[in-house]
Amino acid sequence: MDSALAVPRPPPHDPGTPALSVVDMHTGGEPLRIVLAGCPEVVGPTLLAKRRYMRQHLDHVRRRLIFEPRGHRDMYGAVLVQSELPDAHLGVLFLHNEGYSSMCGHAVLALGRFALDFGLVPVPLAGSREARVNIHCPCGLVAAFVACEDGRSRGPVRFHSVPAFVLATDLMVDVPGHGKVVVDIAYGGAFYAFVSAEKLGLDICSAKTRDVVDAASAVTEAVKAQFKINHPDSEDLAFLYGTILTDGKDAYTKEPTTNICVFADEQVDRSPTGSGVTARIALQYHKGLLELNQTRAFKSSATASVFTGKAVREAKCGDFKAVIVEVSGQAHYTGTASLTVEDDDPLKDGFLLK
């Protein structure tokens, strides 16, 4: 007996919100839900203006994509938009459980594959082993390089970041429950606080996720309350995205160094965190622990997935000395879906359990 069933017509849905057609991917275990169709037009003359418009007028789309019952607390999303930059192949807005990010490295790695496979960039020349995809992120233009064969992606992707720099080192903050804690703050398209998990009484490789979330969130809130974040280019970029707990192994070694990122509203990154790797490379270069083109491996304590990173050249961001960082990883497809919203669904805009 044929087990295939006839596909019924989708149920009635809110006429003001067409069904959202999505492609799901993951990079190092961290999900990415890319909107193919169904999102209303995002209006604005620049990408940052579009980000503000979506936050103010289309936040229900984010909630329907990210929140339960269609998503989950740690879901991540991407809405593709037109870029005002002539060199960009596409623009993107990043969505998470709290709002909208300025940069997402795991998403850039996945979007590189997606853009090539879905025809958003020119077909590579015959025999090409890599295709370039210019992705305009809210933090700026990021170049992704996608391994390919016969015009199709193969999985490995690398990207070159916006200028990454260190905002503060050895910053003393008073963290409730932990006392005085020394943290570093660095930017890799988004700002992160970095602290060795050991300083918070945790073993990054064996600690329970709830304990990691509580400790990292306490650091984030303490830094936000006690230190002002500034970005030389735009106030839209001047916010602390989260805290990355590390194994404290910042000196160069060929062995992977382990970390985990807690960002937004206690969202846990399953990957080693692409923009976090970018910032951590900038931090290690700033401290003289890493040379240009010296590759380090970064392992997620959540999934043991690995990204590699290296500072490829020096740069500037305002008055800050910066570096361009190359981050490499593997992105994978996990499925497609059509997300509908029934007219009478009281939870149509989603919910998150606390």
Side-chain angles (χ1 to χ4, degrees):
M1 179 177 177
D2 191 348
S3 62
L5 298 176
V7 179
R9 292 176 60 189
H13 58 267
D14 183 349
T17 304
L20 291 162
S21 177
V22 301
V23 171
D24 283 344
M25 302 183 71
H26 84 87
T27 312
E30 179 69 357
L32 182 67
R33 175 162 285 172
I34 305 167
V35 179
L36 277 178
C39 182
E41 182 183 5
V42 184
V43 178
T46 67
L47 193 70
L48 286 175
K50 288 180 170 72
R51 181 169 171 260
R52 290 190 292 270
Y53 180 90
M54 185 156 189
R55 180 191 290 123
Q56 294 166 8
H57 302 285
L58 298 174
D59 197 55
H60 63 279
V61 175
R62 177 187 66 88
R63 296 194 301 269
R64 293 174 181 185
L65 281 167
I66 302 299
F67 289 4
E68 295 184 58
R70 299 167 196 85
H72 53 82
R73 166 169 286 280
D74 297 314
M75 177 58 78
Y76 208 95
V79 171
L80 306 186
V81 296
Q82 290 291 325
S83 168
E84 74 274 15
L85 301 181
D87 292 334
H89 293 115
L90 65 149
V92 61
L93 301 178
F94 299 121
L95 322 178
H96 52 69
N97 70 9
E98 189 178 51
Y100 304 84
S101 177
S102 53
M103 173 58 184
C104 181
H106 94 273
V108 165
L109 294 170
L111 285 168
R113 285 199 71 183
F114 173 87
L116 178 59
D117 293 338
F118 281 75
L120 302 184
V121 296
V123 176
L125 297 175
S128 296
R129 308 297 292 180
E130 197 172 59
R132 177 170 176 148
V133 182
N134 292 332
I135 302 173
H136 186 188
C137 305
C139 64
L141 192 64
V142 175
F145 303 89
V146 184
C148 62
E149 187 173 352
D150 297 327
R152 300 285 293 179
S153 72
R154 292 180 46 245
V157 186
R158 59 190 178 94
F159 71 79
H160 284 182
S161 72
V162 297
F165 61 90
V166 174
L167 185 63
T169 58
D170 299 324
L171 178 69
M172 185 75 73
V173 293
D174 189 2
V175 181
H178 299 280
K180 301 290 186 181
V181 178
V182 176
V183 305
D184 298 321
I185 301 175
Y187 177 81
F191 285 102
Y192 296 96
F194 291 88
V195 61
S196 170
E198 187 178 21
K199 294 180 181 178
L200 302 171
L202 297 174
D203 180 341
I204 194 64
C205 296
S206 62
K208 294 181 179 179
T209 301
R210 185 69 255 171
D211 294 337
V212 168
V213 169
D214 289 345
S217 298
V219 172
T220 297
E221 293 308 310
V223 173
K224 286 180 178 179
Q226 300 168 44
F227 183 78
K228 181 172 174 54
I229 301 291
N230 292 292
H231 191 282
D233 292 340
S234 173
E235 276 299 306
D236 285 285
L237 306 177
F239 63 95
L240 186 69
Y241 192 28
T243 291
I244 296 179
L245 303 186
T246 78
D247 59 7
K249 298 176 182 177
D250 291 329
Y252 176 75
T253 172
K254 292 183 179 180
E255 296 300 315
T257 175
T258 301
N259 57 224
I260 191 165
C261 176
V262 180
F263 65 99
D265 182 10
E266 299 187 345
Q267 191 160 339
V268 180
D269 194 336
R270 273 70 168 160
S271 80
T273 309
S275 54
V277 167
T278 301
R280 201 170 170 206
I281 287 283
L283 182 61
Q284 292 174 2
Y285 184 79
H286 175 85
K287 291 185 173 184
L289 302 173
L290 202 61
E291 299 176 0
L292 286 179
N293 292 305
Q294 194 169 35
T295 300
R296 286 212 72 180
F298 297 83
K299 183 169 72 173
S300 164
S301 69
T303 61
S305 58
V306 175
F307 290 170
T308 60
K310 61 182 178 181
V312 294
R313 66 179 184 274
E314 293 183 339
K316 294 279 286 185
C317 187
D319 293 331
F320 290 99
K321 293 182 179 179
V323 286
I324 303 299
V325 176
E326 179 179 291
V327 176
S328 302
Q330 289 259 356
H332 302 276
Y333 292 99
T334 56
T336 60
S338 180
L339 309 179
T340 60
V341 178
E342 291 187 297
D343 301 342
D344 60 351
D345 184 352
L347 299 176
K348 65 181 180 181
D349 286 338
F351 65 93
L352 286 182
L353 293 179
K354 290 292 186 181

